[in-house]
Amino acid sequence: ENREDMVSSKSNRLTEALEEANKLFSGVSCAREAALDAQFLVLASNLGKEKANELHSEMTAFDSLAFAEDLLTFMGINRTEVEENDSDSEGISGGYLPSDAWHKLGEETEKYFRRAPSFHYMLGSFKSEPPVPRQRIERQRKTARGEEKRAMPAQLKKMEESHQEATEKEVERILGLLQTHFKNDPDTPISFFDLVIDPNSFARTVENIFHVSFIIRDGFARLKLDDDKLPIIEPSKDNEGRGHDRSAGARNQVVISLNHQEWK
């Protein structure tokens, strides 16, 4: 009934009705009363929307002409003198404004500029995340490295297994030759250098020394010096002695220096 009065920007009837509804809502105990309160809330919302639409936002618009007029008045314009001395004002520096007009304006505006400038970004706000193209490049590189890391251990594992199998077979072959030669002629000592040196290959000689070292380490053969202080090799006679030496930790390590000239 009082719709126009409530929508008016000069009336506070809508605010008073909302406050009264809030007081009445504290005593609501029935569903019908709650429904009436909801119906009132919808009606009040529509009235508030209409009231907001009638507000004029252009009331705060900046009028450059009015600002200039007020500024001239503040600086001390004397329109009477301008009208009387209209012919002479053209030659006077500063026109119809007093000589201290700009100084007066500067003193008044100085207090509004005596503050730190506001902080702002020249190129927008700083983003911690890199640009999208860089992210794509990094992801591709990481994926490629991951694939290499996943592929390399598998290849190395296969190479190690094959190399280990070849070493074991070669060690067993040399041990078999050593045992066969010793059985055929147990009284003749076997020269260590005659066993390992390959007259046609220096690399093969080094590999033979490497393989024989496993036989010595595991106790299947032993080294000793003959009368000329040269090393001779012979297989172990029993497994019990080898087991006892290994359990007691009896290990003797010998470093052999062999260059290409000595091999020749």
Side-chain angles (χ1 to χ4, degrees):
E1 295 177 356
N2 300 323
R3 188 183 192 91
E4 296 180 358
D5 188 14
M6 287 188 174
V7 171
S8 175
S9 59
K10 299 180 180 180
S11 174
N12 293 328
R13 293 288 302 277
L14 183 59
T15 305
E16 295 174 357
L18 288 172
E19 293 177 355
E20 184 179 358
N22 289 333
K23 295 179 181 179
L24 294 175
F25 184 73
S26 60
V28 170
S29 60
C30 300
R32 178 58 182 167
E33 296 174 352
L36 289 174
D37 181 78
Q39 184 179 358
F40 167 75
L41 181 60
V42 174
L43 181 60
S45 300
N46 293 332
L47 294 175
K49 181 180 180 181
E50 293 182 11
K51 192 171 183 178
N53 290 333
E54 292 184 359
L55 295 176
H56 299 283
S57 59
E58 64 271 9
M59 289 189 299
T60 58
F62 178 75
D63 189 354
S64 58
L65 295 178
F67 175 75
E69 190 71 22
D70 294 339
L71 187 61
L72 292 174
T73 303
F74 173 79
M75 294 171 70
I77 184 175
N78 192 338
R79 297 185 183 278
T80 306
E81 294 182 0
V82 171
E83 293 175 356
E84 293 177 354
N85 302 326
D86 190 15
S87 59
D88 299 335
S89 61
E90 295 179 0
I92 301 174
S93 176
Y96 50 81
L97 290 175
S99 59
D100 61 341
W102 291 106
H103 182 71
K104 182 179 179 181
L105 177 64
E107 291 180 347
E108 180 65 22
T109 57
E110 183 181 4
K111 57 184 178 182
Y112 298 104
F113 291 93
R114 191 178 294 176
R115 60 182 180 179
S118 60
F119 182 79
H120 65 281
Y121 297 97
M122 294 179 63
L123 300 176
S125 60
F126 175 74
K127 296 181 180 179
S128 59
E129 298 180 357
V132 177
R134 292 184 180 179
Q135 287 182 352
R136 293 177 181 175
I137 294 175
E138 290 179 358
R139 288 177 182 175
Q140 291 176 358
R141 290 178 179 176
K142 290 180 179 178
T143 304
R145 292 177 181 176
E147 292 176 358
E148 292 178 358
K149 291 182 178 179
R150 288 194 297 270
M152 288 300 292
Q155 295 176 1
L156 291 175
K157 186 176 181 182
K158 293 180 180 179
M159 292 174 62
E160 291 176 357
E161 290 177 354
S162 61
H163 181 70
Q164 184 177 1
E165 292 175 359
T167 302
E168 292 177 355
K169 292 179 180 180
E170 189 65 18
V171 170
E172 292 176 358
R173 187 183 70 84
I174 295 176
L175 179 59
L177 294 174
L178 182 64
Q179 292 175 347
T180 301
H181 182 77
F182 190 78
K183 288 180 181 180
N184 295 335
D185 191 4
D187 297 330
T188 303
I190 304 172
S191 173
F192 173 75
F193 293 113
D194 290 343
L195 177 68
V196 299
I197 289 179
D198 186 343
N200 300 320
S201 175
F202 176 73
R204 183 64 180 171
T205 301
V206 176
E207 289 182 358
N208 290 336
I209 297 175
F210 172 72
H211 293 142
V212 172
S213 65
F214 286 100
I215 300 175
I216 304 299
R217 183 199 65 179
D218 296 336
F220 292 104
R222 57 176 175 266
L223 284 173
K224 59 183 180 181
L225 300 178
D226 59 4
D227 297 337
D228 297 329
K229 300 299 181 181
L230 294 174
I232 58 176
I233 184 171
E234 61 181 6
S236 301
K237 295 181 180 180
D238 53 355
N239 295 329
E240 295 180 358
R242 292 194 300 270
H244 177 71
D245 292 343
R246 294 177 66 183
S247 62
R251 300 288 178 86
N252 293 322
Q253 293 182 347
V254 179
V255 178
I256 298 176
S257 174
L258 182 68
N259 55 31
H260 196 267
Q261 185 64 31
E262 292 173 347
W263 166 76
K264 286 186 177 180

